[in-house]
């Protein structure tokens, strides 16, 4: 494959074809279904799918089929089937999503969630980095391989519209499409990123999730605190006691045994390499309130906390009036949303059952505890890299980035990865992306590093060509 031709092709596609269409996609308020229950009638998800479909229909990829797939009462999915140019019978599956997080307020001057703005090599707007660019990058990588004289196996690009809602429709689509996907030997996911924009980052693990809403009720209705306090126990105090069963409030250590795992030694070594390559990034990219310190000084331990150890965040509350509305009332109940991030290999079902026992057994004062909105999902630990893929990544690091590739244990979750790993246990996984530590995904001023996205596209093209030649003398 002519590497110079590949570089020229990919950069030209980003400048001339991708950026204008991706900018228009940013303007579509395709909010994920969990944040927009009326998504079907609003039509924004369908509009995003149609926008990308129209762009794909104009690509010069002979034999390619572009299809909108929509099962009854489910969000739409865009499926692109590109025939291979290599004599292989397997499939490369390239994944991304077109749904977006809510807009939220507080965007910078001249910026907005649905207003695409290009500044200093960055494309601002909701969905630019997470994850609207991915479908464009996947197709550009395939086109780049062809124009540079390389070859690739059959490629299927799958763009869903429910990822930000936890991909609830994806299992049904995988079952529906399984006969059409064939023998998937490589999965490429572009919905990730890393610690800087100087190298390629591989996500090698994703944490799982256990979440529950806990309500502690002590009264049927509120009472005057001057008359009831000292007689009726505070629902908030009981909630604090129950939380003490789950977490050490002094250190943040989660006390639920079922949530802990042994961290593989090779993952610890990867974390050390990553921290050494980008010292200070983990702490420096956080918008600390004045005087706040991190949970430790050792960045390796902090990275392991964020990728391989369980954590608890209280992400919501009810039963607490706003300060201006708070009278002298002993409140009848306190509700807290408890969100645990689990190690990649932890059993999420066992974890949530342990939480249920801890919160409902021997409750102080016999208070009523109700658990609702229970949710749990396993994490994902990537399979070992095949020699051909590791060698290709080494080459990509030298030729595309001039910096060695590194790995990241991502604290979030991408449900699709676990589903695909279960469906195709022998497949290799390349989970990467153009997102950096300050790309502002999910928050105001989301932006995509355009040059880095082009480099990631070129890297994927090199991997596609290498995949088609694996096991063949080069």
């Amino acid at each position: 494959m002519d590497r110079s031709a590949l570089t020229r092709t990919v950069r030209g596609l980003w400048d001339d074809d991708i950026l204008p269409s991706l900018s228009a996609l940013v303007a579509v308020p395709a909010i994920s279904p969990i944040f927009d229950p009326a998504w079907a009638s609003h039509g924004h998800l369908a509009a995003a799918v149609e926008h990308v479909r129209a762009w794909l229909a104009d690509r010069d990829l002979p034999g390619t089929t572009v299809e909108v797939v929509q099962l009854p009462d489910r969000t739409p999915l865009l499926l692109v089937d590109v025939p291979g140019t290599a004599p292989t019978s397997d499939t490369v599956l390239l994944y991304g999503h077109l749904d977006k997080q809510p807009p939220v307020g507080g965007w910078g001057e001249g910026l907005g969630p649905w207003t695409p703005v290009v500044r200093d090599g960055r494309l601002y707007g909701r969905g630019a980095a997470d994850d609207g660019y991915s479908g464009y990058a996947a197709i550009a990588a395939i086109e780049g391989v062809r124009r540079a004289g390389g070859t690739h196996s059959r490629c299927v690009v799958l763009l869903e519209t429910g990822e930000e809602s936890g991909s609830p429709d994806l299992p049904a689509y995988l079952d529906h499409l399984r006969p059409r996907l064939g023998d998937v030997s490589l999965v490429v996911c572009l919905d990730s990123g890393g610690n800087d924009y100087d190298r390629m980052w591989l996500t090698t693990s994703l944490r799982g999730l256990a979440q529950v809403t806990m309500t502690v009720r002590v009264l049927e209705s509120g009472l005057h605190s001057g008359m009831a306090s000292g007689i009726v126990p505070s629902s908030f105090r009981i909630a604090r006691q129950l939380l003490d069963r789950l977490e050490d409030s002094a250190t943040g250590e989660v006390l639920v045994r079922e949530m802990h795992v042994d961290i593989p030694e090779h993952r610890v070594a990867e974390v050390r390499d990553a921290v050494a390559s980008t010292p200070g990034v983990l702490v420096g990219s956080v918008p600390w309130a004045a005087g706040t310190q991190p949970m430790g000084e050792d960045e390796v331990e902090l990275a392991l906390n964020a990728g391989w150890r369980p954590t608890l965040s209280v992400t919501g509350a009810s039963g607490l009036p706003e300060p201006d509305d708070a009278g002298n009332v002993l409140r009848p109940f306190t509700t807290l949303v408890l969100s645990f991030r689990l190690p990649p290999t932890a059993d999420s079902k066992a974890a949530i059952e342990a939480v249920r026992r801890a919160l409902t057994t021997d409750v102080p004062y016999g208070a009523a505890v109700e658990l609702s909105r229970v949710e749990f999902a396993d994490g994902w630990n990537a399979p070992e890299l095949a020699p051909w893929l590791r060698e290709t990544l080494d080459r990509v690091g030298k030729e595309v980035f001039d910096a060695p590739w590194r790995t990241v244990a991502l604290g979030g979750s991408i449900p699709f990865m676990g589903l695909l790993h279960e469906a195709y246990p022998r497949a290799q996984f390349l989970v990467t992306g153009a997102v950096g530590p300050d790309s502002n995904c999910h928050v105001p001023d989301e932006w995509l590093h355009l040059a880095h996205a082009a480099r990631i596209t070129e890297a994927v093209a090199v991997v596609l060509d290498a995949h088609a030649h694996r096991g063949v003398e080069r």
Side-chain angles (χ1 to χ4, degrees), residues 82-152:
V82 185
T85 58
T88 58
S89 59
D90 52 352
T91 300
V92 178
L93 185 60
L94 300 103
Y95 166 83
H97 66 89
L98 297 174
D99 59 311
K100 308 177 183 183
Q101 282 282 318
V104 304
W107 288 67
E109 184 177 355
L111 304 176
W114 320 127
T115 304
V117 174
V118 177
R119 288 183 187 170
D120 302 322
R122 303 175 174 188
L123 172 61
Y124 287 87
R126 179 64 81 228
D130 185 20
D131 178 38
Y133 85 96
S134 61
Y136 295 97
I139 294 299
I142 297 169
E143 288 193 40
V145 170
R146 292 189 174 196
R147 295 192 198 179
T151 57
H152 63 82

Side-chain angles (χ1 to χ4, degrees), residues 308-322:
W308 276 93
R309 294 186 180 121
T311 56
L312 169 61
S313 300
V314 178
T315 59
S318 183
L320 299 162
E322 292 294 323

Side-chain angles (χ1 to χ4, degrees), residues 322-348:
E322 292 294 323
D324 288 346
D325 300 324
N328 292 321
V329 175
L330 196 152
R331 298 175 298 100
F333 71 92
T334 296
T335 294
L336 301 175
V337 180
L338 311 181
S339 178
F340 293 91
R341 291 292 179 176
L342 306 178
T345 55
D347 183 335
S348 63

Side-chain angles (χ1 to χ4, degrees), residues 220-236:
E220 294 300 324
S221 59
L223 294 174
H224 193 300
S225 62
M227 298 179 178
S229 59
I231 300 173
V232 179
S234 161
S235 63
F236 188 82

